Amino acid sequence: MKRNKLTYILVSLALLTSCKKEYLESDQYFKDRLTIEKVFKSKEYSEQWLAHIFEEFKGENADVASKGYTPHCFADDMFYGDRDKDYDPSKNELSYNMFKMGLYTENDKQGTWVQCYRGIRNASTFIHNIHLNTEMSEREINDYRGQARFARAYLYWLLLRKYGPIPILPDTEVDYTQSYDDLAIPRNTYDECVDFIANEMLLAAQEMQELGMQRGQDGSARPTVGAALSVRAKALLYGASPLANGNNAGFAALLTDKQGNRLLSSQYNEEKWARAAAAARDVIELGIYRLYTVAFQATGEDATVVPPYDPNFSDKNWPEGWANIDPEKSYARVFDGTLPASGNPELIFTRGNNQLSEGVNAMVIHQLPRSATGWNTHGLTQKLVDAYYMNDGTDVPGKDKEIGRGNGSERVKGYVTQEDYEAGRYRPLLPGVSLQYANREPRFYASVAFNGSMWKLLNESQERNRNQQVFYYRDNDKGNGFNSSNAYWLRTGIGMKKFVHPNDTYEGGNNAKVVPKAEPAIRYADILLMYAEALNELNGSYTIPSWRGTNYTISRDIAEMQRGIRPVRIRAGLPDYSASAYSNKDELRKLIKRERFIELMGEGQRYYDLRRWMDAPEEESLPIYGCNVLMNESQRDLFHQPVAVWALKTTFSDKMWFWPIKHSELKRNKNLTQNPGWTYND
């Protein structure tokens, strides 16, 4: 049997979900059934079947990708500026403005639904037939079944996150001789979806326990125990969050099944937070993952920029302090391709770098300046820039002043002089850079391409094109600033460095000059912050079983919350929060949200975080601010005075809580209901 024969069988199987009675009574059906049984007796063809399931994780199902696959990596932190017909008449695709204004339709970005349910069907077939294999040991069969179970539950997770409550297909043989109306499956409640995903991921972890634990972190591109437990924790955290836990908003009352039953719980249940915390702790207790760090470098051009002295952390080595690490490089190299997926100790799950055209590499190409032949269109908002701390953990002067959240302080004036630079002041800033960007935390310098920052571009063939200081003033000689003759300029005058390796360039349109990147679909820092967030919401104490069957006592324990927060802060070269912050649930909630905003920027988290917290109506309706890109270098004070960006629009309406379901699916399934705000006429 050749691979194309296997593909034929998969197509035939897909037909079973929508076939007519004649097919079920035909000889072909029994031949296909017999062939499927033969497939699962073979290890080689079973592996091909499993690989086929994981093909559904690509494309629009990527967690982290450029806008051609998913706009959901872009929210109020990071924007994309191309594909906008207002500035480039040749484009007629989903622009950032259309996305942010809710102007997408039921036909936009709908590959998720088709791919997920196709993968779910094929995974179910694998789960129910892999026991037939005669060439694998019982341990291997259990492990492969666990991997398929992970895949099926993960595909459900992607559907839930994007569309809200979705139909859970029966895990038994379906009588396909029924009519279409009889087969139609209604949407499950959000809680039912969460419980199904969590239970399936727990079972997957148990099935993979023997061989999956041996894969450990080295198996980050394949399902592992850690990956299954992590998705379980994420699903439970979403189920505990305000969107699905005590939601009495108007749109929630409208989200119902055909019988009028609510799909989002109106009753608050604090124990959901305890279950989420316990699930995150399961991942921590594995002892497999850790935050990546780079050793301190005392001298040289890339010498470590030492954070201001802090008596609690400056004199201690990692993980108790930052004395022996380089915080900026420690963060930057998690993402830039320096590490292969198998060598990244905090990468829990990834699709690797095998996305075809719109993966992380493509995102980098859109971040690179025009002077490196990049598209110069993916950038950052002033709100995100203001969220980054100063290097001593305080707020930047003038933070959020323009959006009405300031504390009365003013933004810093002035620029780095040549004398400052030669004296080593304000490292790593170069001459001519605004002092608004001075003395910021290390993650800022690893992530933000502020006006006048250095792009190394070491893969440029000509030495003169390497180590470029890039400015975004209007009509500058490098072509990186606003230019009315083309669409390739940063709408906010603030670029993005995260994911960019020092070698990266796009010279000659050559993809090979961009270092391959592993997609950070699930990362340990996320799990740590999830743990702290869930604990912070508790008032009572709960006994919750671990995945191994022992019990945790879960409560709002400050030492346990610090267990989640401190490593992230210390790795970033920042002191921990104050004791008063930890003692105040509301204050700590704000700080954790801000930490996720910074730490997980560009990783596909913010869009969904804003929705599960129910913060989207406020945060996504605020005007987007940035530099005044119409100013040239002679007007640099005006350039650095934040203004509302006319080229970036944003709003929020109730229909934007969840993505619309495509009309063809609503027609196919008469028991399927549309998300509120999206009209459908039969």
Side-chain angles (χ1 to χ4, degrees), residues 321-569:
W322 56 68
N324 64 336
I325 67 170
D326 186 312
E328 179 188 351
K329 295 186 187 71
S330 296
Y331 183 77
R333 292 182 184 176
V334 171
F335 312 102
D336 69 7
T338 297
L339 302 172
S342 61
N344 190 333
E346 66 181 280
L347 195 57
I348 298 175
F349 183 68
T350 178
R351 292 159 182 76
N353 53 35
N354 57 357
Q355 298 293 315
L356 296 178
S357 61
E358 291 284 342
V360 179
N361 281 32
M363 194 150 63
V364 165
I365 290 170
H366 285 78
Q367 294 167 213
L368 289 169
R370 294 299 289 163
S371 47
T373 327
W375 295 115
N376 196 44
T377 56
H378 287 8
L380 305 177
T381 64
Q382 187 69 46
K383 186 201 287 188
L384 175 70
V385 169
D386 284 359
Y388 286 97
Y389 292 90
M390 299 297 285
N391 57 9
D392 62 358
T394 59
D395 287 347
V396 63
K399 178 181 185 292
D400 293 335
K401 174 184 175 182
E402 294 76 20
I403 57 176
R405 297 177 176 175
N407 60 7
S409 62
E410 297 292 329
R411 297 189 182 276
V412 176
K413 306 291 186 182
Y415 303 86
V416 178
T417 65
Q418 185 66 32
E419 181 184 1
D420 291 331
Y421 176 70
E422 291 173 358
R425 289 189 287 269
Y426 306 123
R427 290 185 63 231
L429 303 190
L430 299 172
V433 173
S434 170
L435 291 178
Q436 291 183 32
Y437 306 132
N439 302 321
R440 303 298 291 272
E441 60 151 296
R443 289 177 299 188
F444 176 88
Y445 297 115
S447 303
V448 181
F450 48 85
N451 190 38
S453 65
M454 172 67 74
W455 291 79
K456 294 193 174 181
L457 311 173
L458 299 181
N459 271 336
E460 284 281 333
S461 60
Q462 302 296 317
E463 186 173 354
R464 66 175 181 272
N465 292 329
R466 303 169 198 156
N467 297 310
Q468 296 182 20
Q469 187 179 13
V470 173
F471 289 95
Y472 300 113
Y473 295 120
R474 175 172 57 86
D475 295 331
N476 68 51
D477 59 354
K478 296 287 187 179
N480 295 304
F482 172 76
N483 187 332
S484 59
S485 65
N486 66 62
Y488 304 111
W489 46 275
L490 290 172
R491 307 300 193 249
T492 61
I494 306 165
M496 178 172 167
K497 284 278 185 69
K498 189 170 178 176
F499 301 111
V500 178
H501 189 279
N503 289 349
D504 287 347
T505 185
Y506 194 46
E507 182 183 19
N510 185 356
N511 291 325
K513 291 205 168 191
V514 176
V515 175
K517 331 283 179 185
E519 174 211 34
I522 307 176
R523 190 162 64 86
Y524 190 50
D526 186 11
I527 299 298
L528 292 173
L529 294 176
M530 286 166 50
Y531 183 51
E533 178 185 348
L535 290 175
N536 182 55
E537 297 299 329
L538 299 175
N539 291 313
S541 180
Y542 299 85
T543 299
I544 306 293
S546 74
W547 80 286
R548 296 183 186 275
T550 57
N551 288 328
Y552 297 131
T553 299
I554 302 293
S555 64
R556 192 182 185 280
D557 184 289
I558 289 178
E560 285 298 307
M561 289 190 293
Q562 288 178 325
R563 187 181 181 190
I565 292 169
R566 274 197 171 189
V568 176
R569 298 278 294 178

Side-chain angles (χ1 to χ4, degrees), residues 180-346:
Y180 285 122
D181 288 342
D182 290 335
L183 278 174
I185 301 170
R187 298 174 75 161
N188 290 78
T189 67
Y190 200 103
D191 284 346
E192 288 169 345
C193 294
V194 165
D195 287 343
F196 178 83
I197 294 166
N199 292 336
E200 284 291 288
M201 285 299 184
L202 176 59
L203 183 53
Q206 292 167 343
E207 289 174 327
M208 292 188 288
Q209 184 170 359
E210 193 166 359
L211 296 183
M213 288 291 284
Q214 292 175 12
R215 283 197 297 276
Q217 195 280 329
D218 286 342
S220 57
R222 297 180 66 197
T224 60
V225 170
L229 295 179
S230 295
V231 179
R232 175 173 175 255
K234 289 184 77 68
L236 289 171
L237 186 80
Y238 274 55
S241 298
L243 180 66
N245 191 6
N247 188 344
N248 287 292
F251 85 91
L254 297 174
L255 182 54
T256 64
D257 63 15
K258 279 285 189 180
Q259 285 69 48
N261 299 310
R262 289 180 56 132
L263 300 179
L264 294 173
S265 175
S266 61
Q267 301 297 315
Y268 178 73
N269 181 358
E270 183 181 279
E271 188 175 0
K272 290 181 178 180
W273 289 108
R275 291 178 63 205
R281 183 170 170 180
D282 277 338
V283 182
I284 296 170
E285 297 290 351
L286 288 176
I288 294 173
Y289 308 104
R290 63 178 175 83
L291 298 187
Y292 176 72
T293 57
V294 173
F296 178 87
Q297 183 174 333
T299 60
E301 182 181 344
D302 288 332
T304 300
V305 178
V306 181
Y309 184 78
D310 184 284
N312 296 309
F313 305 105
S314 290
D315 297 325
K316 298 175 183 176
N317 288 338
W318 173 260
E320 302 300 322
W322 56 68
N324 64 336
I325 67 170
D326 186 312
E328 179 188 351
K329 295 186 187 71
S330 296
Y331 183 77
R333 292 182 184 176
V334 171
F335 312 102
D336 69 7
T338 297
L339 302 172
S342 61
N344 190 333
E346 66 181 280

Side-chain angles (χ1 to χ4, degrees), residues 181 258 663-664 666-670 679-682:
D181 288 342
K258 279 285 189 180
H663 283 172
S664 60
L666 295 167
K667 290 179 179 179
R668 193 190 331 262
N669 183 346
K670 298 300 183 181
T679 59
Y680 166 61
N681 296 316
D682 192 0

Side-chain angles (χ1 to χ4, degrees), residues 57 59-65 69-73 112-113 116 153-166 187 190 193-194 197 230-231 234-235 237-239 243 264 349 351 519-523 526 530 596 603-612 656-660 675:
F57 279 53
E60 287 182 23
N61 278 346
D63 281 86
V64 187
Y69 281 161
T70 171
H72 300 102
C73 281
T112 302
W113 189 279
C116 284
Y154 200 92
L155 293 168
Y156 274 122
W157 160 244
L158 294 177
L159 287 166
L160 177 65
R161 191 176 64 174
K162 182 173 180 178
Y163 295 100
I166 34 84
R187 298 174 75 161
Y190 200 103
C193 294
V194 165
I197 294 166
S230 295
V231 179
K234 289 184 77 68
L237 186 80
Y238 274 55
L243 180 66
L264 294 173
F349 183 68
R351 292 159 182 76
E519 174 211 34
I522 307 176
R523 190 162 64 86
D526 186 11
M530 286 166 50
R596 289 183 66 84
E603 297 179 52
Q605 304 285 346
R606 178 69 174 177
Y607 174 90
Y608 295 109
D609 275 350
L610 289 177
R611 281 155 177 75
R612 70 177 177 88
M656 297 168 71
W657 289 108
F658 296 117
W659 205 255
N675 284 320

